[in-house]
Amino acid sequence: MAVLTISDTRSFATDTSGALLADRLLAAGHALHDRAIVTDDIAAIRGQLQLWLQRPQIEIILTTGGTGFSPRDNTPEAVRPLLRREMDGFSVAFHQKSLQSVGVASMQSRAFAGQAGDAFIFCVPGSTGACRDAWDGLLELEFDSRHKPCSIAGALPRLRDVCA
C-alpha cells in the first residue's frame, strides 16, 4: 500500500491525516511501501500516482485531501482519468458513515475510489476525522482478506483465489 497526502500546506510533521492512514494500515498488518505529500496540482498528483502504479507491489493507494470544492481541490480531476472502473459503493458507504460524524457537511466531499490497472485508489477528504471515518469499519474490513463474503483481495491478481 501507499499513502498520498494532497495538500499545499502540509509537511510530514503536520500531516495528521496521512499519518492516521499509515498508522492504521500498519497496525492492521499491511505493508506501507511508500508515503508522499504533493501539492494540490493535477500534474503533481497524477505524476506521483503513475509512479506508484508502475510498482506491482503497490496494489492499493490511499489519498487524503483535495476532494472538496475549493478552487485548489483537484484530486478527482487528477485521478479519474487514471481509472478504468469506479467503485461507486465506496463513495456511498463513505457518505453514509460520514453523515454520522459531520452531518450534511458530508455532501461537500467528493470521496471516491476506483481501479487503475490492477491497483485500487481510494480518495478521501483531508481531515483526520474523515480519514478515521474512511478507515474504521470501511477500509479496514475491505482490506482484510478474512472479511466475508469477500474483501478486495479477490480483485487483486496475486490474491484472486482467496475469495474463490
Side-chain angles (χ1 to χ4, degrees):
M1 288 192 201
V3 175
L4 179 62
T5 298
I6 299 156
S7 173
D8 292 333
T9 60
R10 299 283 183 219
S11 67
F12 282 107
T14 61
D15 178 24
T16 57
S17 299
L20 179 135
L21 292 172
D23 291 347
R24 291 279 211 283
L25 71 87
L26 287 168
H30 301 290
L32 177 62
H33 293 287
D34 208 350
R35 181 172 166 214
I37 298 174
V38 298
T39 59
D40 205 334
D41 172 79
I42 291 173
I45 297 165
R46 203 174 285 163
Q48 182 61 63
L49 293 174
Q50 288 172 323
L51 287 173
W52 285 344
L53 290 170
Q54 294 174 23
R55 295 172 55 185
Q57 72 270 32
I58 298 179
E59 298 169 307
I60 295 174
I61 299 169
L62 306 177
T63 78
T64 175
T67 61
F69 286 93
S70 81
R72 290 289 294 162
D73 287 335
N74 292 305
T75 299
E77 291 74 20
V79 177
R80 280 199 168 104
L82 301 175
L83 302 179
R84 64 183 174 106
R85 296 181 185 146
E86 281 204 45
M87 185 186 291
D88 298 328
F90 173 73
S91 181
V92 171
F94 173 79
H95 284 289
Q96 287 177 338
K97 182 101 186 272
S98 175
L99 275 168
Q100 298 170 13
S101 57
V102 298
V104 296
S106 176
M107 291 189 293
Q108 297 173 31
S109 164
R110 298 185 295 153
F112 70 102
Q115 188 176 30
D118 287 329
F120 287 85
I121 303 173
F122 293 82
C123 302
V124 300
S127 76
T128 306
C131 289
R132 190 176 301 107
D133 285 348
W135 184 269
D136 296 349
L138 295 177
L139 296 178
E140 72 174 327
L141 297 176
E142 185 64 11
F143 300 160
D144 186 341
S145 64
R146 299 166 299 179
H147 185 70
K148 300 297 177 189
C150 196
S151 69
I152 202 167
L156 300 173
R158 72 179 175 85
L159 297 173
R160 283 210 173 107
D161 294 334
V162 170
C163 292

